[in-house]
Amino acid sequence: MAVLVQKYGGSSVADVERIGKVADRVVAAKREGWDVVVVVSAMGKATDELLALAAGVAEKARAVSDRAKEAPRRELDMLVSTGERVTMSLLSIAIAGRGEEAISFTGSQSGILTNDRHFDARIIEVRPHRIEDELARGKIVIVAGYQGMSYRREITTLGRGGSDTTAVALAAALGATRCEIYSDVDGVYSADPRVCADARHLPEIDLATLSEMSEAGAKVLNAQAVEWARKSKVALHARKTSDPLARAGEAVRETVASAETRTSVRAIVGLDRVALVSGPSIEAFLGEAARLELPLLDVHVGPHASLATIPLLNLPDWTARRAEIAPALGQASLTHDHALVSVVGDGLLGSGGLARMAEALRGAGIAPAMRSGHALRLSALVPRASREAAERALHAAFVAP
Ligand code: ASP
Ligand code: MG
């Protein structure tokens, strides 16, 4: 039997009506003859709302105790993992209502095993026996994305946007024929189409480029998901949920991301909320960062000047971490109201890209705090408030001149 994995993002399951539309699509795929596994995100902005609730409770505690702390990561995982469980059961009910048999599973029931890092756990292994058993019984299997279980039997979550990772890791473990990722955009663009009106749709992309884009902030596919696709050779079809039902040969606008394609695309991506550590020496800081398992993106260590950037997206306890690293900073400084904007593509560094980047940003009245060049990416740190303007300026200079 051929396994089809479909993943639906939060906006695709935001309300009862949209859950019904997803159920229609899932049932149609089942009736075409596929073994269907559906991975769902939390409804709409449910994850943000749960996190705001936790922050509110922690904030109230600060008013009554001077020892109050930010919400513990473990408890955040217990809380936010419920978001996807709401969706999985509702979708299963919607499918049952349409006369097909469905069963929902949490991440741990699906055999998603992770390390013991809360809030941004990594999948170590997938043992999808229960899913396989239910598929063999003819059922549609619905899986709560974004979550797993650590080897200590703790509930973990996979970092923001982690439902993609669940979908790709499951597709790999099940030997799926197809993996479709549905969201409110019809694939990968040369920039965020909500920011750059002239962003170009990319029908095909290679996974090395896509991986670089995701690491540097592209939200269309989660970085860990792209990594799983690279390891397992699963091709990803990124599509828009509102597109008409079409699989058998009909034209659907999508992006196919696979290890086989060799594309040379250029794209602009932005990462909001990035901290910068810079100074004559950052060795002590790097030691502390390793101990605290801080995610680092760019790190440069030189004889006179060094720097490191820290994406804050998956650091719900940044205030506490910041206090912990303070003593290790020495003469280095820590600033944190930055965004990172990047141009992703081949051969940018050798062709004077960094100078062109500075010029484009200057033209938009933006002074970057630092720039860096890599094999597949040029990046600049800009003030958070200038991120979108910077993305537009770079798109005009590098993609659509
Ligand atoms: N609901 C989670 C989030 O908003 C995971 C996901 O959407 O993939 O980050
Ligand atoms: Mg979500």
Side-chain angles (χ1 to χ4, degrees), residues 9-15 18 41-53 80 83-84 87 160 184 194 219:
S11 63
S12 309
V13 291
D15 53 39
R18 279 182 258 197
S41 291
M43 293 171 71
K45 300 256 169 267
T47 308
D48 289 330
E49 286 158 17
L50 290 169
L51 289 171
L53 212 50
V80 294
E84 273 68 13
T87 320
R160 297 307 306 269
D184 52 2
R194 284 162 287 219
K219 281 185 255 347

Side-chain angles (χ1 to χ4, degrees), residues 262-389:
R262 287 279 156 269
T263 47
S264 86
V265 305
R266 267 193 194 175
I268 309 301
V269 293
L271 185 61
D272 192 25
R273 299 182 60 229
V274 176
L276 170 69
V277 173
S278 64
S281 165
I282 60 167
E283 300 292 352
F285 160 77
L286 289 176
E288 245 341 70
R291 190 181 68 80
L292 297 170
E293 297 182 76
L294 292 184
L296 301 176
L297 195 60
D298 291 292
V299 178
H300 297 280
V301 176
H304 308 297
S306 301
L307 66 85
T309 56
I310 314 167
L312 301 181
L313 177 68
N314 288 314
L315 280 172
D317 43 7
W318 172 234
T319 306
R321 297 289 89 85
R322 211 168 73 201
E324 278 183 89
I325 57 181
L329 287 174
Q331 289 186 53
S333 68
L334 170 68
T335 50
H336 54 103
D337 264 328
H338 308 285
L340 191 81
V341 289
S342 305
V343 188
V344 175
D346 234 347
L348 290 158
L349 198 53
S351 55
L354 272 177
R356 188 134 52 97
M357 176 176 230
E359 196 182 294
L361 292 175
R362 201 180 313 119
I366 300 165
M370 73 103 186
R371 282 171 295 138
S372 64
H374 307 263
L376 285 176
R377 167 170 64 91
L378 306 178
S379 291
L381 264 195
V382 301
R384 283 184 73 190
S386 319
R387 178 177 58 84
E388 295 194 351

Side-chain angles (χ1 to χ4, degrees), residues 126-143:
V126 182
R127 293 184 197 154
H129 311 302
R130 292 192 69 180
I131 296 178
E132 287 164 335
D133 289 350
E134 296 300 341
L135 290 177
R137 292 193 180 103
K139 289 193 191 163
I140 294 167
V141 179
I142 319 292
V143 176

